[in-house]
Amino acid sequence: MTYKEIRANAEVNALLDKGNKNLGLLGFTDHSQAHCIHVADTAGHILKKFGYDAHDIELAKIAGYMHDIGNAINRTHHAEYGSLLANEILRDSDLSVQDRITVVSAIANHDESTGSAVDAVSAVLIIADKTDVRRSRVRQKPKAAFDIHDRVNYAVTDQTLKINPDKRVISLNLQLDTGICSMYEYFEIFLGRMLMCRGAAELLDATFKLTANGAKVL
């Protein structure tokens, strides 16, 4: 089973479509295939920069694309539901048992409410997912209807994730329009996620840094 095959898998894509529609009705930002592709590519990129082999990179990309399928069942505990769904889908693939467990474990541990990094694949999945903050994730709706999650994402006018393999540093640099979202609101939503990224980076023997509007925050 390859990342390319997972991206074309009808069941995976149906689950992502349903989950994204469910979250849209609940007022959440975009969790479509576009988000999952971004997460998969970013996770793979981090491992590549840190010298991991093609095998680990492929597993990270598979986990990245599948990580939000549990939203099709329920947003609460979607990581755990997603891991169970992924296990069933991947059980019939040619992935080894060990590789399948690595993928489902990463999916199960990607949400800050219940999870934490347990290996390199789960660590880069967490970082890739939690740093995907951008205006284009806000759904089409009147600005007056924005909730705090919408405002936080819409306020991000520029986002750059930089990987320095020599210094073992992962840096998220954000430019925020504070007329849309205050720094206080940003950290009300994202502090827990950024701390989770810091823990994930430490598992990779790296440091996670956050800069907002040119000022070092974490």
Side-chain angles (χ1 to χ4, degrees), residues 5-216:
E5 290 171 332
I6 281 295
R7 280 187 57 174
N9 185 284
E11 184 174 0
V12 171
N13 286 318
L15 288 166
L16 288 175
D17 285 339
K18 176 59 175 170
N20 191 42
K21 289 176 182 175
N22 289 352
L23 295 188
L25 292 172
L26 295 172
F28 283 84
T29 52
D30 176 76
H31 285 71
S32 67
Q33 284 93 336
H35 165 64
C36 295
I37 290 169
H38 176 91
V39 170
D41 290 346
T42 301
H45 174 69
I46 297 170
L47 285 186
K48 184 176 181 180
K49 293 288 283 187
F50 282 149
Y52 285 79
D53 61 28
H55 179 76
D56 289 331
I57 292 169
E58 192 75 358
L59 293 181
K61 293 173 78 170
I62 290 170
Y65 191 72
M66 300 181 78
H67 79 281
D68 269 341
I69 59 176
N71 285 313
I73 297 178
N74 199 291
R75 176 60 182 177
T76 302
H77 297 297
H78 74 282
E80 293 92 326
Y81 289 133
S83 70
L84 295 174
L85 290 168
N87 189 56
E88 289 302 309
I89 293 168
L90 296 174
R91 189 187 296 275
D92 296 327
S93 74
D94 59 357
L95 283 182
S96 69
V97 172
Q98 183 177 357
D99 286 347
R100 173 160 51 91
I101 291 172
T102 297
V103 170
V104 301
S105 177
I107 294 170
N109 279 287
H110 84 269
D111 189 68
E112 66 272 14
S113 63
T114 56
S116 60
V118 294
D119 55 27
V121 171
S122 64
V124 293
L125 173 56
I126 287 167
I127 295 167
D129 182 39
K130 305 313 172 191
T131 59
D132 186 19
V133 188
R134 50 191 163 85
R135 178 169 289 190
S136 58
R137 289 194 69 186
V138 179
R139 298 175 192 265
Q140 293 291 329
K141 65 176 75 171
K143 289 183 181 179
F146 281 5
D147 66 6
I148 188 172
H149 295 86
D150 295 319
R151 290 197 303 275
V152 165
N153 281 275
Y154 195 78
V156 177
T157 58
D158 188 57
Q159 180 256 46
T160 306
L161 186 68
K162 295 182 177 180
I163 315 298
N164 187 324
D166 296 326
K167 294 184 178 180
R168 308 293 295 186
V169 174
I170 302 169
S171 302
L172 176 62
N173 303 309
L174 298 177
Q175 194 66 35
L176 297 173
D177 183 343
T178 55
I180 298 172
C181 163
S182 68
M183 287 288 189
Y184 176 83
E185 284 185 309
Y186 175 82
F187 286 106
E188 182 181 351
I189 295 298
F190 280 100
L191 181 58
R193 300 176 191 183
M194 297 299 97
L195 291 174
M196 191 182 192
C197 288
R198 184 169 70 179
E202 289 173 354
L203 190 143
L204 297 170
D205 193 28
T207 301
F208 180 80
K209 295 183 178 180
L210 171 64
T211 302
N213 292 355
K216 182 181 177 182

